[in-house]
Amino acid sequence: MFMDIFVSFIQSKKITPYRVAKETGISQGLMGEYCHGMKTPTWQNLIRIADYLDVSIDYLLGRTDIPEVNR
């Protein structure tokens, strides 16, 4: 679920997985594993990715269709 939502979202925003990895401090190898569904992010990395993309964790996990963060 995470992989599909994450990859679709970054593609729609024209952001590369490399850029997300570089900006969040997550290794490129690990980011590749996330993009190919080989691994699911730890909660710490999920927070980093959600903060970087300015979306909610619930959105990335498929719990809501609304990407906006409730602040």
Side-chain angles (χ1 to χ4, degrees), residues 14-25:
K14 308 247 188 280
I15 301 171
T16 64
Y18 169 78
R19 181 172 165 197
V20 176
K22 184 176 178 183
E23 297 289 327
T24 59

Side-chain angles (χ1 to χ4, degrees), residues 20-57:
V20 176
K22 184 176 178 183
E23 297 289 327
T24 59
I26 299 170
S27 76
Q28 291 180 43
L30 191 53
M31 187 61 66
E33 291 177 338
Y34 296 161
C35 290
H36 291 98
M38 298 166 63
K39 287 192 176 179
T40 302
T42 62
W43 64 269
Q44 296 97 333
N45 285 346
L46 192 58
I47 291 169
R48 288 178 182 172
I49 293 167
D51 285 349
Y52 174 73
L53 297 175
D54 198 29
V55 298
S56 71
I57 291 172

Side-chain angles (χ1 to χ4, degrees), residues 5 58-59 62-68:
I5 295 168
D58 284 339
Y59 174 76
R63 294 172 41 104
T64 182
D65 293 333
I66 303 167
E68 289 80 26

